[in-house]
Amino acid sequence: MGKVYRKQTIEGVTVPAVIHNVNYFWLNMGVYEDGTISCWNKTDLSDVPYQLNRGWLTPCVPEGKGLSVYGLCWLEIIKADWKFNNESYNEFIRETVRSLNPEMANIYKTTEREKAKWKDYHVGFTAEPTPCKIIGRYGYQLIDGDKSNILLLNDGKITLTQMNIYSDGTFSVDGLGEQFFTLEEIEKLFEDKTLQTSVKDGDTVSFGALGEAECKTISSVKPSEKLKEIKEKSLRVQNKPDAHERCQRAYHAYLVEPSDINREQLRKAYDAVPEHERIYLGDMDTRNTDFERILYTDEKREV
């Protein structure tokens, strides 16, 4: 018998969640109509209580603790009003699945055989959500995209939410309804501070269904760098060369011919990469250290 496989699109939604892995991390968690849950790893409805009880998945952050929001900021929780405990949050997730699949049909359950298989092959199995939008009055087409965390100021209320960046060059912001924006309109939302990257000490931030909390910013990305990241992600999902790719090309050109001209080209390409994403230019060990060596020191590379 020959080996075969098939691909299947399973639709879902994202819900607010927190991962506790030494520190607390904000997560727009994928919940799918077949009961699959994406909490940094692939799990299912039957396994959610275990993830909650062991503290990996949590609906709240203790007061006085920090919350890391990837690519955006690090917030300290001063005073919080959280809406769920473990039991009610588990029910919230279950009802989210039910809203997508009222019959609760074909609910997925990970078997011990599957777990053993992925363990044997040293594979970390995830169900990372892909943002999408539906287009077409006739037919049914999904436009894929990427995502980025953002703070939304709307009607005087600050909400930690998600921007969606689509491959057709448009954008949406969770919390602003079914509205799609151009890049120029997104730039204006940054200019009038509808979209932000930090909060003032004592500001109340809504965390969607989880509740709200008074917070202060420990660290954050500059708005100009966040906008730069969004522009680069838009290029990437449209399969156009982005700043990361241009920087890698300039880096390799310099290594082949380490001239002043190539070094200056590398500097321009490096500056175009958002500051908070430069650590991803190298591997997990080197990060961006070789770029910094070339641009800001006289050290020679050992070959």
Side-chain angles (χ1 to χ4, degrees), residues 162-181:
Q162 177 175 291
M163 178 185 294
N164 304 297
I165 304 157
Y166 301 108
S167 58
D168 63 356
T170 62
F171 307 80
S172 68
V173 180
D174 293 348
L176 291 181
E178 296 293 324
Q179 185 176 357
F180 299 103
F181 301 92

Side-chain angles (χ1 to χ4, degrees), residues 48-62:
V48 169
Y50 168 72
Q51 302 296 344
L52 287 165
N53 290 334
R54 78 184 183 104
W56 174 262
L57 177 64
T58 177
C60 59
V61 179

Side-chain angles (χ1 to χ4, degrees), residues 189-216:
L189 292 177
F190 271 93
E191 288 174 10
D192 66 19
K193 301 192 184 307
T194 298
L195 298 178
Q196 302 181 10
T197 61
S198 63
V199 298
K200 299 188 291 294
D201 290 0
D203 276 351
T204 297
V205 177
S206 169
F207 296 92
L210 295 189
E212 60 183 30
E214 291 180 24
C215 301
K216 74 174 182 179

